[in-house]
Amino acid sequence: IMIEILQEGIEFDEEEQQVVGSHLISAVLNEYSKAAQTDRLSGLWSKQYLQIQINEILHKSLQGKVLVLVEIDNYRRVSQICGHGSANAMIVCIAEGIRKELKSEDLAGRIDDDKFVILFNDMEKEQLEIKLLKLQKNMKSRIKRKISLFIVKPRKMRSVTG
């Protein structure tokens, strides 16, 4: 909007310039902040943002929380043989498969080239096996590769001061 206004040559008094300028700065900072919080390729949360959010959630309560590590088997080999474009397409497909299984209160992010983390925020034990099988089937059907899922049992975090 600001660019269009400048192109049209509309003049502002000093107070209007400050208001428009602060809105523009706010919009730019918001975009940079959002970009820093998400993984550019997968569109899921970034490793850094995910660590902060998971730590905050697990400090509050462990009730109903399930942490899942998703790992693509032989990812580096696929990247070497088929090229980075194919490997990137695989990452995008897996991210879409993960997103499909998330509820609004769940978190997911990419923490390494071939690894993703999912935090299911409200999961009953009975639902877990069904959810994981569905997740694995969904991702495997998208990329035709073996996907390993590991359940990490969250435990109460302790503060270390030193």
Side-chain angles (χ1 to χ4, degrees):
I1 296 171
M2 181 66 172
I3 293 170
E4 290 174 10
I5 291 172
L6 292 175
Q7 286 176 344
E8 291 177 14
I10 298 174
E11 293 185 26
F12 297 104
D13 64 28
E14 191 173 319
E15 186 178 325
E16 290 171 328
Q17 285 177 6
Q18 287 177 350
V19 170
V20 171
S22 70
H23 284 295
L24 181 61
I25 290 169
S26 177
V28 168
L29 290 176
N30 192 22
E31 283 301 310
Y32 278 115
S33 175
K34 186 177 179 183
Q37 293 174 353
T38 56
D39 176 68
R40 185 177 42 87
L41 182 58
S42 69
L44 297 173
W45 295 118
S46 69
K47 178 180 179 177
Q48 295 78 12
Y49 182 78
L50 194 65
Q51 285 175 323
I52 292 166
Q53 293 304 311
I54 287 175
N55 282 335
E56 285 180 14
I57 290 168
L58 295 182
H59 273 339
K60 294 176 186 170
S61 169
L62 299 179
Q63 186 71 27
K65 309 293 189 277
V66 177
L67 199 58
V68 177
L69 174 67
V70 178
E71 184 172 4
I72 307 167
D73 294 347
N74 300 313
Y75 173 79
R76 283 171 181 70
R77 187 163 181 211
V78 169
S79 183
Q80 290 169 346
I81 293 170
C82 301
H84 293 297
S86 295
N88 288 349
M90 189 169 30
I91 294 297
V92 171
C93 285
I94 289 174
E96 288 170 359
I98 290 172
R99 234 183 258 103
K100 185 176 179 183
E101 297 301 323
L102 297 179
K103 293 188 281 183
S104 61
E105 63 270 11
D106 299 331
L107 292 172
R110 182 170 170 219
I111 61 167
D112 200 359
D113 289 345
D114 62 342
K115 292 177 185 71
F116 299 82
V117 168
I118 304 168
L119 176 67
F120 293 111
N121 246 325
D122 186 22
M123 180 69 62
E124 299 293 326
K125 284 183 181 181
E126 301 79 31
Q127 299 171 309
L128 180 59
E129 188 174 344
I130 295 167
K131 178 66 98 175
L132 292 179
L133 287 171
K134 200 172 166 187
L135 182 64
Q136 194 169 29
K137 183 180 176 185
N138 185 337
M139 287 187 288
K140 196 171 181 180
S141 72
R142 290 170 181 269
I143 64 166
K144 309 289 189 257
R145 302 236 17 109
K146 185 177 176 197
I147 303 290
S148 297
L149 301 176
F150 303 94
I151 300 170
V152 181
K153 185 176 180 182
R155 57 177 193 240
K156 207 56 164 170
M157 304 295 210
R158 288 178 283 166
S159 296
V160 178
T161 56

